[in-house]
Amino acid sequence: MNWWMFAGGLMAMICAAGHAIAGLNTFYRPIKSAITSELHAGILTGIWHLITIHFALSALALLVLSAFGQQVTVAWLMAAQFAGYAALYLGISLRLGGALKLFQWIPFAMTAILAAAGAATAR
């Protein structure tokens, strides 16, 4: 069992749950209510759910790999993916006036670090 990779999977699951549950009232509903085009609202809904599914499947992949496969390449890919998310959100947050304007970069970075540690220690 690769505990680093397992922890990365749990952190990715927190990202998925945060997006699906906390983000619903904080971001999704206010943004959707401000959109006047039915097409644009539909696109937002699709993107919202795609992101939730993507986070959940990324978490599942890390959790499965931690117990069975330990496919190092996939773990590195997950680490790079979440590092990219973290860099993007940190950059936007800083542009908005402070590192904590958009705090999402923190769990993304934690997921990236844990997945990378799992990949680095996999045998």
Side-chain angles (χ1 to χ4, degrees):
M1 180 70 139
N2 186 317
W3 293 105
W4 290 110
M5 210 174 296
F6 182 78
L10 290 179
M11 197 66 226
M13 192 59 73
I14 290 169
C15 292
H19 186 267
I21 298 165
L24 189 66
N25 290 323
T26 307
F27 298 106
Y28 173 73
R29 286 187 176 142
I31 293 169
K32 188 174 180 186
S33 70
I35 296 174
T36 57
S37 165
E38 189 175 313
L39 175 64
H40 294 155
I43 291 169
L44 172 70
T45 299
I47 291 170
W48 185 267
H49 293 301
L50 286 174
I51 292 168
T52 303
I53 291 166
H54 180 65
F55 284 171
L57 290 177
S58 297
L60 182 62
L62 286 169
L63 292 170
V64 168
L65 291 175
S66 72
F68 302 111
Q70 292 193 21
Q71 296 291 327
V72 175
T73 304
V74 176
W76 280 119
L77 180 62
M78 296 294 163
Q81 167 186 302
F82 277 89
Y85 298 160
L88 175 68
Y89 265 78
L90 178 58
I92 293 169
S93 188
L94 291 172
R95 202 173 59 189
L96 291 172
L100 296 178
K101 287 286 185 179
L102 295 174
F103 69 90
Q104 292 89 333
W105 68 270
I106 297 169
F108 294 156
M110 290 173 59
T111 302
I113 291 166
L114 291 167
T121 59
R123 295 185 223 111

